[in-house]
Structure formats: C-alpha cells, structure tokens
C-alpha cells in the first residue's frame, strides 16, 4: 500500500497529539504542520522529523504531495478550513465539534460527498479497546434488551473564575460550551456502544460563573491549572454553560441521562457510561480505561481487564500490548487514525465500504443533538433531534 501523506493544522494540545499518534500509524507520512504559532509548529516538526512548516494553512491547498489533512484549530475555524480542504480534494479528519452550527455541518457533509473525499471526526474515545469490546457485547445481545443508559462527563479545569481559555468565548467556541465540548463525546460514545441514535432530548444548562477573569495573555488548554491565577486580567461576562443535565430518548424507546460539568473539583476527565440491560449491565470510565465492569444479578459481577487474550476478536485489534500493560488516551486516536488510513489506502469510499471510524455524518448528528439541547434549555420542553440537512 503506498503511504498517505498527511498534514496537521494547529500546534496546540491536539495538534501535537495528532502528530504523535500519526507517527505510530503504518503507511502514513506526516509531511507538514501549519499553524499561526509558527515557532511551536517548527519545534514539533523538529521533534518528529516533519519536513515542512507553514504559517498559513492555505499553503496546503495546492500541494499535490498532501493527500489528507487533520484540522486541529479552535472551533470557529473548523467550517472555513474543512470546507476549503474538501474543495481542494483533500481527505479531512476534523477535530470536534465539526462546526459551530448544524447548518454549517450539513453543508460540509454535502460538500464532502460532492468532492468524493473521505472525512472523519476525532471522537477519539471510540478507539479504546474496551469500548470496542462493550459495543460488541451489546451487538451480540449479551446485555439482553437495553433498558437504561446513564453517566456523566465531569472536569475541573474551569472550576475557578480565574480559569480561562478560548472555549469560554462563544464567538470562538460556539453557543454551547460544556455540552458541545465534552457532552458531545459522551453522546457519541453511548450511541456507538448501543448502536442507537439519540432522537429526543430535554436539557437544563447551568452556569457557575456569570463573569470570569480573562488573563491579558492567552492560556493554553488545561495550562491555567499550572500557572495559577492571572496577575493581570479583565473581568468578562460569560454566556455559555458550565454544565448541564440532559435526559435523552434513543431509538427503540431506550432512555438515558447525562450530567456534564466543567466545574466539578477533583474530576479531571471522568467520562463514565453505564448501559443496563435485561440480562446484564456494563460500565466504563475513561479515567480507568483498562477495566470494563460487567454487572449481573444472579452471579458475581466481573471486571474485565484489557488483555487481548480475554477480549473478543472485534476488540482485540485495538489493544497493542498484553494484559497488565495499560493503554491510554494517546492510543484511541492512533487506533482511529489507523482505521482511517487503512480505508483510504485501500481506495474505499463510503459507497463501497462502511467506515470503521467516526465520520462527518456523525459530527453533523452531534451538532443536531447540541442544537436540540440548547433549544430544550430555552423552551423548557423536549426537543426532537431534527433530521434537518444532510443525514
Ligand atoms: P489549542 O488552543 O491548544 O490549539 C489550537 C491551535 O490552533 C494553536 O496551535 C493555534 O496556534 C492554532 N491556530 C489558531 N488559529 C489558527 C489559524 N488561523 N491557522 C492555523 N492554526 C491556528 O486548542 P486545542 O485544545 O488543541 O483544541 C483544538 C481543537 O481540538 C478544538 O476544536 C477542540 O475542541 C479539539 N479537541 C479535541 C480533543 C479530543 O479529545 N478529541 C481534545 C482537545 C481538543
Ligand atoms: C477540554 O474540555 C477537552 O480538551 C475537550 O476539548 C476534549 O474534546 C476532551 O476530549 C477533553 O477535554
């Protein structure tokens, strides 16, 4: 299989994570990094042996030696950058959220189909071995009829009013923050594991801080926790939610609930899912991803440890080391990128083969869920996840 040449846009938290993961994917060359932070992009390029660095991502568009691009920019650039890339004929992996509105994400899906390129979105938590195992167990009916899905996504990095990042600015991040930023991962994960879409939501959003102290210098994602309270700041109003409670109805009448919060002390990235069925239940926690809990009524509960020899064939390929050797956050994207480039390398398209990675269609559907949650919060009513735009 000839190698696929990949460029990464953005050199922040995720730009660096993508380069690192891509370097561990077979048949992929990372050929360029583009970022407005050129010095940091150069530093990454030197570290990982990447030949080209650009200050402007548009320089990638006309290059025939760039086949695919990863968009790791802040949310407000996703639509413009993703659109230009597919129109230039590039395969694109976008960071989540796909765009800031469902109208934009519908347009992107349409444009990508017209261009005939392969698109993906980084709902990276699907890439964990035990998440794949959980999906297989549900699909094989090991849980029986599904009754309830519940869980939460809790963080503390925005707990204090001195914590700041571009995600707190709706013009950069979007009208929803906690739900779109991390609740979207949870919704994607439970839909992936159960194989059922969320069709209706009832949401109540809340804000712990009406104003925050914005430092006069930019603070990278999570770094505010290390540097402490800013010495020089402006007090600014906040118009996005610090958290939410979301009730959800899934296809087939399955019901669920999600609590999401970015102000829960001690919780770092506690993304926790539980699926309860008529025969058994399962739960998985992103902070302890190498254990899958299986609950039973008439027998002892189990803790399945990530160990390829104990896992199903569908999940085994996502584990790269024997049992007792934990695999973690950097390995999820690596697995999804592997699937993506295996698919592109084999010349597949969605018309010829179902993708084994999250796609822009999934990203668009998430955007519809986020929009429905915001409308529900505004109106105090259940809202259907509209099937508007491209499905
Ligand atoms: P960040 O602030 O750490 O990095 C953003 C990068 O984009 C910076 O290097 C910045 O210089 C660059 N940039 C800004 N404007 C640009 C432009 N016009 N052209 C080129 N580069 C530009 O942000 P972070 O945390 O890396 O987030 C980036 C995206 O990744 C967001 O959409 C976020 O939602 C997503 N994300 C996803 C995660 C996941 O687990 N799937 C984890 C963290 C972030
Ligand atoms: C910050 O809340 C963040 O980095 C999100 O942007 C990511 O998508 C999530 O995976 C971890 O937390």
């Amino acid at each position: 299989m000839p190698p696929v040449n990949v460029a990464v846009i953005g050199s922040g938290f995720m730009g660096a994570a993508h380069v690192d993961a891509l370097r561990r994917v077979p048949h992929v060359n990372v050929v360029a990094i583009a970022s407005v932070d050129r010095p940091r992009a150069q530093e990454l390029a030197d570290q990982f042996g990447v030949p080209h660095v650009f200050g402007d991502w548009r320089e990638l568009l006309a290059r025939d030696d760039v086949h695919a691009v990863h968009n790791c920019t802040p949310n407000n650039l996703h639509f413009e950058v993703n659109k230009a890339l597919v129109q230039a004929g590039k395969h694109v992996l976008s960071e989540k959220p796909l765009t800031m509105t469902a109208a934009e994400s519908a347009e992107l899906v349409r444009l990508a189909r017209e261009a005939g390129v392969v698109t993906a979105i980084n709902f990276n938590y699907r890439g964990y071995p035990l998440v794949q195992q959980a999906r297989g167990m549900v699909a094989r009916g090991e849980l029986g009829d599904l009754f309830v899905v519940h869980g939460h996504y809790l963080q503390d990095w925005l707990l204090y009013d001195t914590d700041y990042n571009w995600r707190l600015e709706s013009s950069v991040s979007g009208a929803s923050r906690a739900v779109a930023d991390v609740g979207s991962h949870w919704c994607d994960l439970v839909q992936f594991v159960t194989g059922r879409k969320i069709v209706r939501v009832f949401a109540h959003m809340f804000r712990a801080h009406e104003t925050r102290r914005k430092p006069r210098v930019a603070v990278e994602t999570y770094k505010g926790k290390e540097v402490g309270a800013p010495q020089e700041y402006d007090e600014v109003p906040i118009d996005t939610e610090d958290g939410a409670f979301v009730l959800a109805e899934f296809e087939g009448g399955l019901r669920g609930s999600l609590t999401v919060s970015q102000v829960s002390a001690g919780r770092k990235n506690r993304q926790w899912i539980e699926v309860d069925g008529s025969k058994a239940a399962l739960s998985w926690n992103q902070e302890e991803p190498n254990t899958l809990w299986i609950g039973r009524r008439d027998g002892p509960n189990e803790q399945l440890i990530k160990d390829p020899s104990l896992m199903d064939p569908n999940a085994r390929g996502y584990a790269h080391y024997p049992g007792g050797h934990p695999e973690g956050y950097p390995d999820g994207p690596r697995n999804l990128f592997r699937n993506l480039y295996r698919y592109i390398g084999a010349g597949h398209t969605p018309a010829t083969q179902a993708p084994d990675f999250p796609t822009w269609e999934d990203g668009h559907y998430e955007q519809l869920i986020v929009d429905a949650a915001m409308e529900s919060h505004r109106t105090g009513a259940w809202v259907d996840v509209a099937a508007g735009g491209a499905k």
Side-chain angles (χ1 to χ4, degrees), residues 9-15 18 34-37 40 55-58 71-75 77-78 81 95-97 122-125 165-167 181 185 219-222 329:
I9 307 178
S11 56
F13 171 36
M14 265 297 138
H18 281 238
S35 177
V36 284
D37 187 349
R40 174 64 183 141
D56 188 338
W57 58 270
R58 291 171 193 81
N71 180 1
C72 303
T73 60
N75 304 354
L77 295 171
H78 288 187
V81 174
E95 262 306 339
K96 41 60 59 178
N122 195 28
F123 284 128
N124 48 305
Y125 300 104
N165 180 257
W166 56 260
R167 287 173 181 75
D181 186 38
H185 280 299
V219 180
E220 203 188 295
T221 314
Y222 295 113
Y329 181 77

Side-chain angles (χ1 to χ4, degrees), residues 126-177:
R126 289 190 196 186
Y128 279 104
L130 290 178
V131 166
Q132 296 285 331
Q133 173 81 16
R135 177 178 160 89
M137 289 172 61
V138 173
R140 288 191 299 276
E142 291 177 27
L143 270 57
D145 296 335
L146 302 189
F147 291 151
V148 184
V149 174
H150 53 111
H152 50 241
Y153 199 136
L154 309 176
Q155 301 180 316
D156 72 2
W157 73 290
L158 296 176
L159 175 61
Y160 301 134
D161 71 345
T162 48
D163 292 324
Y164 207 84
N165 180 257
W166 56 260
R167 287 173 181 75
L168 291 153
E169 295 173 14
S170 56
S171 59
V172 186
S173 188
S176 162
R177 180 183 11 117

Side-chain angles (χ1 to χ4, degrees), residues 274-347:
E274 180 164 323
V275 183
D276 301 337
S278 58
K279 293 188 196 161
L282 61 79
S283 84
W284 180 81
N285 170 11
Q286 197 275 153
E287 290 183 345
E288 293 168 17
N290 291 286
T291 306
L292 181 68
W293 178 86
I294 301 163
R296 305 190 190 285
R297 196 175 88 155
D298 300 326
N301 297 337
E302 290 174 46
Q303 302 263 19
L304 174 64
I305 305 295
K306 184 226 62 157
D307 179 337
S309 72
L310 300 176
M311 288 162 51
D312 301 331
N314 77 293
R316 216 170 276 153
Y318 289 76
H320 301 277
Y321 291 94
H325 300 80
E327 292 173 61
Y329 181 77
D331 303 304
R334 173 235 194 142
N335 284 331
L336 297 182
F337 300 170
R338 182 237 3 232
N339 291 4
L340 172 67
Y341 290 108
R342 192 165 57 192
Y343 186 93
I344 290 173

Side-chain angles (χ1 to χ4, degrees), residues 50 62 92 94 108 142 154 162 189 198 241 303 352 356:
V50 178
V92 185
S94 176
L108 283 188
E142 291 177 27
L154 309 176
T162 48
L189 201 56
I198 293 172
E241 77 280 5
Q303 302 263 19
T352 59
D356 52 357

Side-chain angles (χ1 to χ4, degrees), residues 200-221:
R200 242 161 52 101
V201 293
F202 182 94
H204 174 75
M205 300 180 171
F206 67 87
R207 195 160 33 245
H209 300 296
E210 291 299 328
T211 62
R212 285 183 183 257
R213 290 185 255 172
K214 177 179 180 177
R216 294 201 175 133
V217 292
V219 180
E220 203 188 295
T221 314

